[in-house]
Amino acid sequence: MNEEESLGTLHERLLDVCKRAKQRVEIIFIDDGSTDSTWLRMQSLAAQHAGTKAIRLRRNFGKAAALSAGFSIARGNVVVTMDADLQDDPEEIPRFLQSLDENSLDVVSGWKRVRHDPWHKVFPSRVFNAMVSGLTGVRLHDHNCGFKAYRHDVLGEVDLYGERHRFIPVLAAARGWRVGEIEVLHHPRVHGQSKYGLSRLGKGFLDLMSIYLLTGYARRPLHLIGSAGLLCFAAGSIGMIYLSIMWVLTRLGDGEALHLHATAVFYYCILAVLLGAQCVLAGLIAELIVSVSAARDRSLQSMQGGRLPAGVDTPTASFSRPSVLYSVSELAGFDAADGPSGDDHATAGTR
């Protein structure tokens, strides 16, 4: 978004690096709702260089949408993602490819050990990275780093929306893919300005909660919701039993009798019992939804495995324009002859 001044330099450096590394490359630029001349610059680069493509989104949908657009048309065996602000160094790309092959990894994430960003971006990012690593078990120093490399097969099992782009390694690891990281250079911003503010912290925390639920309890929601419900129900029940006993005992002696309606703990216990019962019920409903969804998925897989209804032809691969969830207004660098290929490395420059 609004990176017209850096695109030419980035494109030239990408081509130079891949040429020296003897790698075939497909460069995909995503214009995420720019208001300057970014799209015109992308069109010019796509027209001058074969293998360079550009997609323009109708408005600014965010980085997850931009990456989804790039992933939907990337044809290489390996897909490298990076920002277009020149803070990510294209010279690191061969090291990503080397790490994928030598360490038998499926996802390699960059680690900006030395960051050239203001402290109010660096400190919250480090706290967030520690939280993500602790909760998910995917130990990376820099989950927020947009400089990553993926084997193409990984992308078919990762759904991106909202602010999920920073959790791609976590989602991939939850599906059994091998994840690692390498240190990368990080340069000061030369052109433009950052597109991120403090508002992303709240969104990131909410997304972390959903990722924790999806990666740890997607197939057993009752274990999480039901456990919390049982704890609340048990605490409320114990409190009610205790208050009931005290109500009887205080009326057998000579002291002041206990009046439940005048005791705040009594209402807290009632609330805990009701909340616990609702959580258990919600967990059971979630289990029912998961069970029905799993049965439907098995039915679809059996159909795709060869048992298609009579008269239905087997699907064949086709490619006309990117199929993405977000509105694409214009394309550049595409032609009718473009089709799926598995020999190239693809680099998607976003935002």
Side-chain angles (χ1 to χ4, degrees):
M1 179 182 179
N2 295 340
E3 299 286 0
E4 60 174 315
E5 296 174 300
S6 62
L7 290 179
T9 303
L10 175 62
H11 187 267
E12 182 180 352
R13 293 177 64 187
L14 286 171
L15 291 178
D16 179 62
V17 168
C18 292
K19 181 179 179 180
R20 285 188 280 112
K22 298 181 180 179
Q23 297 287 349
R24 296 178 59 193
V25 62
E26 175 187 49
I27 300 176
I28 303 170
F29 289 113
I30 313 298
D31 181 1
D32 190 18
S34 295
T35 56
D36 59 3
S37 299
T38 292
W39 177 245
L40 295 178
R41 186 65 176 134
M42 288 182 179
Q43 285 181 307
S44 175
L45 292 171
Q48 296 173 21
H49 302 275
T52 297
K53 299 177 175 62
I55 299 177
R56 187 182 190 184
L57 304 186
R58 296 187 185 279
R59 66 172 179 81
N60 180 249
F61 286 101
K63 192 167 186 176
L67 289 175
S68 293
F71 291 162
S72 69
I73 56 95
R75 300 177 298 168
N77 287 327
V78 174
V79 178
V80 178
T81 63
M82 60 189 303
D83 293 338
D85 54 16
L86 298 179
Q87 290 191 273
D88 296 331
D89 195 331
E91 295 289 341
E92 302 286 359
I93 292 177
R95 294 183 57 237
F96 276 101
L97 302 179
Q98 181 181 5
S99 182
L100 283 171
D101 294 333
E102 291 185 354
N103 301 315
S104 299
L105 298 174
D106 302 302
V107 179
V108 177
S109 178
W111 171 22
K112 298 173 290 188
R113 181 191 286 270
V114 179
R115 290 188 59 175
H116 296 278
D117 287 322
W119 69 269
H120 57 81
K121 291 184 63 178
V122 176
F123 178 73
S125 179
R126 289 178 176 171
V127 173
F128 177 79
N129 286 322
M131 290 177 57
V132 175
S133 295
L135 282 176
T136 64
V138 180
R139 304 289 177 178
L140 298 178
H141 292 87
D142 195 355
H143 289 269
N144 279 321
C145 181
F147 204 0
K148 294 181 173 68
Y150 312 88
R151 297 196 186 277
H152 197 281
D153 292 342
V154 175
L155 305 178
E157 299 188 18
V158 175
D159 294 324
L160 286 185
Y161 56 86
E163 300 290 327
R164 280 190 170 193
H165 55 275
R166 58 175 63 93
F167 298 109
I168 298 180
V170 175
L171 295 170
R175 303 287 293 187
W177 299 103
R178 295 177 297 276
V179 178
E181 69 177 351
I182 60 172
E183 290 187 37
V184 295
L185 293 175
H186 188 245
H187 300 289
R189 176 181 277 273
V190 178
H191 306 291
Q193 59 184 0
S194 174
K195 312 303 185 297
Y196 304 103
L198 294 177
S199 61
R200 69 172 180 165
L201 296 178
K203 297 177 183 177
F205 180 75
L206 294 177
D207 282 327
L208 176 58
M209 294 175 60
S210 68
I211 292 297
Y212 177 71
L213 175 62
L214 290 174
T215 57
Y217 298 94
R219 293 296 180 181
R220 50 190 183 100
L222 183 60
H223 287 187
L224 177 65
I225 305 174
S227 297
L230 288 177
L231 287 175
C232 289
F233 190 86
S237 299
I238 292 173
M240 293 291 287
I241 294 173
Y242 170 77
L243 290 175
S244 298
I245 294 174
M246 292 301 299
W247 185 86
V248 174
L249 293 179
T250 55
R251 280 164 172 74
L252 296 178
D254 297 331
E256 183 179 356
L258 175 66
H259 299 285
L260 295 180
H261 68 275
T263 305
V265 178
F266 174 67
Y267 297 101
Y268 290 134
C269 290
I270 293 177
L271 178 61
V273 170
L274 293 176
L275 180 61
Q278 289 181 347
C279 285
V280 171
L281 180 60
L284 291 172
I285 294 176
E287 285 282 343
L288 179 61
I289 294 174
V290 168
S291 178
V292 172
S293 177
R296 182 180 57 192
D297 290 343
R298 287 194 297 270
S299 177
L300 290 175
Q301 289 174 1
S302 65
M303 292 178 63
Q304 294 172 353
R307 292 187 294 273
L308 295 175
V312 178
D313 295 330
T314 302
T316 56
S318 61
F319 184 89
S320 55
R321 61 178 292 128
S323 175
V324 295
L325 297 177
Y326 298 88
S327 296
V328 174
S329 62
E330 294 183 68
L331 300 172
F334 295 86
D335 55 57
D338 282 335
S341 173
D343 298 327
D344 302 331
H345 293 300
T347 300
T350 63
R351 295 178 68 77

